Amino acid sequence: MSSNPHGNYQPIFILPEGSQRNTGKDAQRMNINAAKIVAETVRTTLGPKGMDKMLVDSLGEVTVTNDGVTILKEMNIEHPSAKMIVEVAKTQEDEVGDGTTTAVVLAGELLKRAESLLEQDIHPTVIAKGYRIAAEKAQVILNSLAQPVSPKDTPLLGKIASTAMTGKGAENTKGLLSDIAIKAVRQVTRLVDGKYLVDLDDVKLEKKVGSSVEETELIPGVVMDKERVHASMPTEVKAARIALIDSALEIRNTEVDAKISITDPEKMQAFLDMEEGMLRKMVEVIAEKEVNVVFCQKGVDDLAQHFFAKRGIYVVRRVKKSDMEKLAKATGATIVSDLKDLSSKDLGAAGVVEEVRVGDEGMTYVRGCKNPRSVTILIRGGTEHVIDEVKRALDDALGDIAASLRLQKVVAGAGAPEIELARDLRHFAEGLSGREQLAVKAFAEAMEIIPRTLAENAGLDPIDVLTELKAAHDKGRKWAGINVFTGKVMDAWKEGVIEPLKIKTQAVSSAAEVAVMILRIDDVILSEDQSKQQPPQGQYPGMPEM
Ligand code: ADP
Ligand code: MG
């Protein structure tokens, strides 16, 4: 409002009509609520006793999962600060590959605790500062809690893998899948300057519906769900010289709809001859380089297939782009677009390329690759749903083993590190002054949401469980965690619930980061388009009301 020379008040509009604006406490409340709703949504899935969510996308595709990041991605969340929480899950997924629910639940709880500090009239910048101090201290505490791990330590790696897969719908085959994950990670690990570099890009997960999960296997090299294009091509090529081509081996380009009108039959014959000549030439250019295997990302003309077959060249067409990249890395080949550019230097090498019958279809196996580190896990299972869930479980196991080896540090889980963290942070807060102390204490308490949720999801009384856990930690049992199956306090380390340190450090730091970011917002301005899409007052489509 502003006064004009006559003393009348008139509103001043600085935003276009239709925009929506929330400021100060309203903005904070709205943002915190949206974040809490997201956290609340995935909270019930945490831990081995967590529930599953059934997600149905706009095309009616059904996914049943308890994987935090999968759930949040499929929900297509619209609210701006809720989206920031989803980003936390994605960062966690990219950096570690596991712990997405943990990160989101922590972020939600940090904001919930901040809300009550705000109600006590503590300024958001003070809370933000306290949270930052606490997050930094948390890194130190977690690091000193951690234990070492090495790639040779098979039993410990097995515990990491099986913890990652607990409750992920792969229970019966956990042993087999753990073994496969350990072998795969070892294969792609290199020791450089005292550090283990683990490149999970070298591990390909290929799915093939049929048979059962027990038939899942680790295959050295690259495996593709593709047959050779022509039945008279060889089924096996030894000492393979491989060309990777990402353009079509055809003359007629369907993208350019050329019309040729031919009036007399002789011209027709001439035209066909010319076409045949061009295809023959194409095949010759490739064959000249003594290529015996071709992987083409696009189509291959029937006639060209016939010429390739006559020369004993193994050809696969319509190979996925991601597979072309894997093949390039594994065999040392360069992907070529224009045949004119193809030279011997571009070719890749493999011991053998062969078509293997899996079920009643053929798959192409590329073994004995130039890069011995590339491996494929061929996942089998009765249905697409089963295979997808096994794939997610394997992804977590691979990610957790890799994350453990990269830092060479692990912690026990089952809520033990969070209780220990809360304890040490509370102690640390004692040495701080005034209002920051309150914020650090709130941060400490927020950590306890993990064991509390594990207890709740297991149908246990969270207050009893927390009291018992705290008592155990006070007695110096630093790995005291909750046995979600019996409801008793257990030594999580001895029971083999082991996770990479990185899950915890990453989850705590990104949760704190997003909480601070959201707390510092005191003004939300939605443009007209956005405010039309969203009903006012924190009710958003697809989300439960709180
Ligand atoms: P996230 O997406 O955060 O990885 P999960 O559903 O995988 O969520 O649950 C991870 C939590 O479950 C961790 O706190 C971990 O310590 C705990 N956990 C895993 N296995 C067990 C177990 N056998 N007993 C108790 N807690 C477990
Ligand atoms: Mg997990």
Side-chain angles (χ1 to χ4, degrees):
M1 300 283 190
S2 154
S3 63
N4 61 24
H6 308 287
N8 297 332
Y9 286 96
Q10 273 184 357
I12 295 177
F13 296 104
I14 59 164
L15 292 171
E17 206 180 327
S19 331
Q20 198 188 313
R21 183 171 181 185
N22 286 286
T23 55
K25 292 213 160 137
D26 280 347
Q28 271 154 2
R29 199 164 304 129
M30 193 181 92
N31 283 335
I32 290 176
N33 264 333
K36 280 192 332 198
I37 294 170
V38 177
E40 206 55 40
T41 309
V42 293
R43 205 167 99 88
T44 55
T45 69
L46 186 82
K49 292 279 213 157
M51 304 293 277
D52 293 340
K53 303 260 173 207
M54 179 186 266
L55 306 158
V56 186
D57 72 10
S58 52
L59 297 173
E61 278 288 325
V62 177
T63 309
V64 174
T65 183
N66 65 18
D67 187 56
V69 76
T70 309
I71 297 166
L72 294 174
K73 274 187 197 156
E74 297 274 328
M75 276 170 67
N76 288 323
I77 287 171
E78 290 281 355
H79 187 282
S81 56
K83 268 186 180 163
M84 287 165 72
I85 301 286
V86 177
E87 285 305 312
V88 171
K90 288 188 186 157
T91 310
Q92 183 81 18
E93 172 81 358
D94 293 345
E95 295 282 322
V96 200
D98 193 10
T100 52
T101 313
T102 302
V104 169
V105 168
L106 281 178
E109 188 67 13
L110 283 172
L111 283 163
K112 192 168 159 190
R113 303 263 167 186
E115 201 177 24
S116 54
L117 294 177
L118 288 172
E119 274 159 21
Q120 295 167 49
D121 266 339
I122 298 179
H123 197 272
T125 53
V126 176
I127 306 174
K129 187 165 175 221
Y131 274 15
R132 277 215 200 89
I133 296 172
E136 236 168 74
K137 183 70 186 171
Q139 300 294 316
V140 179
I141 296 169
L142 287 169
N143 265 287
S144 63
L145 207 56
Q147 301 287 315
V149 63
S150 94
K152 290 192 203 86
D153 199 340
T154 309
L156 194 55
L157 296 182
K159 288 169 186 166
I160 297 166
S162 82
T163 302
M165 292 189 288
T166 306
K168 295 273 176 208
E171 289 299 323
N172 311 334
T173 40
K174 239 163 72 171
L176 170 78
L177 297 178
S178 293
D179 283 349
I180 289 178
I182 294 170
K183 284 196 189 117
V185 172
R186 272 200 193 123
Q187 192 78 22
V188 301
T189 300
R190 280 174 301 156
L191 185 62
V192 179
D193 298 334
K195 286 216 158 86
Y196 292 106
L197 299 186
V198 191
D199 191 352
L200 288 181
D201 282 345
D202 285 335
V203 182
K204 179 175 188 303
L205 297 183
E206 180 66 54
K207 306 182 284 184
K208 184 80 179 164
V209 177
S211 183
S212 66
V213 181
E214 283 86 36
E215 298 302 313
T216 298
E217 58 174 332
L218 179 69
I219 299 155
V222 181
V223 175
M224 271 165 295
D225 193 1
K226 285 274 172 196
E227 299 182 333
R228 65 204 203 288
V229 288
H230 198 286
S232 48
M233 286 175 179
T235 50
E236 184 193 59
V237 176
K238 291 208 171 105
R241 278 169 68 80
I242 302 167
L244 301 182
I245 298 164
D246 69 357
S247 55
L249 298 173
E250 292 166 343
I251 304 284
R252 273 159 306 193
N253 190 338
T254 44
E255 282 154 38
V256 189
D257 199 6
K259 227 184 239 159
I260 308 160
S261 34
I262 295 168
T263 39
D264 98 52
E266 261 173 46
K267 273 193 189 149
M268 179 67 194
Q269 194 51 49
F271 175 74
L272 289 177
D273 289 349
M274 184 190 75
E275 202 182 61
E276 186 181 322
M278 284 165 81
L279 287 168
R280 195 186 290 275
K281 187 83 204 306
M282 220 179 233
V283 173
E284 258 162 33
V285 167
I286 295 172
E288 258 167 25
K289 312 274 177 336
E290 282 164 34
V291 169
N292 49 19
V293 176
V294 174
F295 291 103
C296 182
Q297 199 180 317
K298 301 275 169 59
V300 178
D301 188 280
D302 287 353
L303 205 50
Q305 293 180 16
H306 168 76
F307 293 142
F308 277 123
K310 266 174 67 182
R311 288 170 177 273
I313 299 175
Y314 186 113
V315 181
V316 181
R317 67 172 167 179
R318 305 203 187 286
V319 177
K320 277 189 282 179
K321 187 160 187 273
S322 58
D323 284 352
M324 293 292 279
E325 281 155 9
K326 286 246 151 72
L327 283 167
K329 197 159 181 231
T331 67
T334 314
I335 301 172
V336 172
S337 304
D338 194 337
L339 276 187
K340 282 201 289 295
D341 300 338
L342 185 71
S343 84
S344 297
K345 280 201 299 287
D346 299 320
L347 303 181
V352 59
V353 173
E354 63 176 323
E355 190 176 289
V356 174
R357 312 261 0 129
V358 179
D360 41 6
E361 279 169 78
M363 295 184 87
T364 295
Y365 283 39
V366 182
R367 282 192 264 233
C369 295
K370 202 168 177 185
N371 169 9
R373 280 188 298 279
S374 72
V375 292
T376 301
I377 299 175
L378 182 58
I379 306 170
R380 306 302 312 274
T383 69
E384 195 82 34
H385 289 282
V386 169
I387 292 195
D388 283 343
E389 198 61 7
V390 169
K391 181 171 183 290
R392 279 191 287 271
L394 267 173
D395 267 331
D396 281 356
L398 291 166
D400 280 8
I401 299 172
S404 303
L405 293 181
R406 283 188 194 118
L407 283 189
Q408 300 174 48
K409 279 190 174 168
V410 290
V411 292
E418 289 84 3
I419 293 282
E420 194 67 17
L421 188 53
R423 206 182 108 88
D424 286 3
L425 278 176
R426 240 182 253 121
H427 189 72
F428 167 72
E430 300 297 332
L432 298 174
S433 63
R435 310 200 135 195
E436 267 157 32
Q437 184 183 69
L438 288 179
V440 176
K441 277 193 173 151
F443 192 105
E445 255 126 55
M447 300 297 110
E448 289 171 357
I449 187 67
I450 300 301
R452 178 175 310 128
T453 305
L454 288 173
E456 273 173 30
N457 289 351
L460 304 166
D461 183 297
I463 297 174
D464 288 353
V465 169
L466 240 63
T467 313
E468 270 186 64
L469 279 179
K470 284 184 187 174
H473 281 256
D474 283 343
K475 285 190 198 119
R477 295 172 57 193
K478 72 170 184 174
W479 295 132
I482 162 170
N483 185 328
V484 290
F485 302 101
T486 63
K488 300 243 160 58
V489 169
M490 66 173 178
D491 185 313
W493 186 273
K494 285 196 191 126
E495 296 297 323
V497 180
I498 311 285
E499 296 172 290
L501 170 66
K502 182 77 181 171
I503 287 193
K504 306 295 173 188
T505 52
Q506 181 69 45
V508 169
S509 77
S510 35
E513 215 168 88
V514 77
V516 165
M517 217 189 279
I518 289 176
L519 276 175
R520 294 180 55 87
I521 298 169
D522 76 340
D523 203 344
V524 177
I525 302 160
L526 295 179
S527 68
E528 192 181 3
D529 290 354
Q530 289 290 315
S531 49
K532 259 191 205 147
Q533 275 177 17
Q534 296 180 8
Q537 304 302 323
Q539 292 161 14
Y540 299 95
M543 284 209 213
E545 264 184 70
M546 288 207 59

